[in-house]
């Protein structure tokens, strides 16, 4: 089944986890035995579930988490460039969620407080070119790239994720009944 309506072509699906707790991905796995049905409809591209590191052309990309560092910016731009439909999943992707609590503080103060030599007490902030740079604050995904749909919740339930995803895969406008739609 394909998102464009032609049958027997599986939808290509990517997922990623940015600044969050991975709870939305755990909720995704809560679709349980329906994973077998999903496997009939879709194949995975980049995802923590496949360990594929870069996103190729795909139909649907689910983003969990806010954007907190330069690597996150690269990832969301790569997904946006490669997917037809981009979905922000969960409070962190939609409004920054819990990680955005740091937005009240200056990033320099956070790093200075968080990285101290345990013996001397002097600042020892990691400074390797391999490490992404922290942004001044945690941004919702839609402040970095265009987002097509948002699926609220912290996390959205497995039932909500499955209903939402299946609607998209089958080319329907996603609709959630009242009991599946929540913001906590
Ligand atoms: Fe975790 Fe909630 Fe953020 Fe999902 S929305 S990553 S469950 S804190």
């Amino acid at each position: 089944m394909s998102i464009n309506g032609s049958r027997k072509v599986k939808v290509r699906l990517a997922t990623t986890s940015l600044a969050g707790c991975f709870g939305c991905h755990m909720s995704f796995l809560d679709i349980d035995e329906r994973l077998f049905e999903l496997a009939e409809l879709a194949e995975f591209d980049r995802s923590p579930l496949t360990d594929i590191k870069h996103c190729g052309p795909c139909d649907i990309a689910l983003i969990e988490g806010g954007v907190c560092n330069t690597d996150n910016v690269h990832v969301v731009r790569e997904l946006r460039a490669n997917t037809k439909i981009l979905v922000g999943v969960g409070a962190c992707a939609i409004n920054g969620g819990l990680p955005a609590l740091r937005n009240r503080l200056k990033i320099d103060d956070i790093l200075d407080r968080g990285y101290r030599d345990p013996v001397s007490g002097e600042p020892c902030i990691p400074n390797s070119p391999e490490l992404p740079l922290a942004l001044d604050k945690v941004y919702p995904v839609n402040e970095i790239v265009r987002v097509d749909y948002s699926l609220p919740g912290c996390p959205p339930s497995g039932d909500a994720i499955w209903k939402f995803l299946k609607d998209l895969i089958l080319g329907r406008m996603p609709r959630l009944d009242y009991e599946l739609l929540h913001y906590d």
Side-chain angles (χ1 to χ4, degrees):
M1 193 79 66
S2 121
I3 205 161
N4 59 19
S6 62
R7 292 178 183 274
K8 297 182 182 171
V9 178
K10 288 186 178 182
V11 166
R12 200 150 175 87
L13 177 65
T15 79
T16 194
S17 177
L18 306 177
C21 74
F22 213 73
C24 289
H25 269 78
M26 297 308 293
S27 205
F28 180 87
L29 294 177
D30 278 344
I31 69 176
D32 294 330
E33 71 279 3
R34 291 164 292 190
L35 283 167
F36 292 107
E37 189 177 344
L38 178 62
E40 296 292 321
L41 299 170
E43 58 189 6
F44 280 94
D45 197 277
R46 177 206 163 107
S47 171
L49 307 176
T50 59
D51 208 27
I52 297 172
K53 303 298 187 191
H54 290 282
C55 182
C58 58
D59 300 293
I60 302 169
L62 309 179
I63 295 183
E64 166 198 310
V67 180
C68 77
N69 63 38
T70 50
D71 184 63
N72 291 169
V73 173
H74 169 76
V75 169
V76 294
R77 286 179 173 163
E78 184 182 72
L79 261 68
R80 179 68 277 179
N82 282 286
T83 189
K84 295 173 184 167
I85 297 174
L86 188 68
V87 184
V89 178
C92 298
I94 295 170
N95 59 30
L98 281 175
L101 288 177
R102 81 157 163 91
N103 292 356
R104 291 166 169 264
L105 305 170
K106 291 181 179 170
I107 184 63
D108 290 346
D109 292 342
I110 296 170
L111 293 172
D112 186 67
R113 179 74 179 266
Y115 292 98
R116 290 268 168 175
D117 185 283
V119 177
S120 69
E122 291 297 312
C124 58
I125 299 169
N127 188 24
S128 165
E130 292 185 358
L131 294 176
L133 295 172
L135 302 181
D136 60 331
K137 62 178 187 172
V138 179
Y139 292 84
V141 174
N142 73 346
E143 289 192 22
I144 308 298
V145 296
R146 178 173 56 81
V147 173
D148 300 301
Y149 294 97
S150 295
L151 178 55
C154 183
S157 68
D159 288 342
I161 291 173
W162 174 240
K163 172 70 169 62
F164 194 94
L165 194 52
K166 197 170 175 187
D167 280 347
L168 282 180
I169 290 172
L170 298 179
R172 302 190 293 243
M173 176 67 75
R175 294 184 69 88
L176 292 180
D177 292 338
Y178 182 76
E179 60 268 21
L180 287 181
L181 189 62
H182 64 99
Y183 294 86
D184 57 354

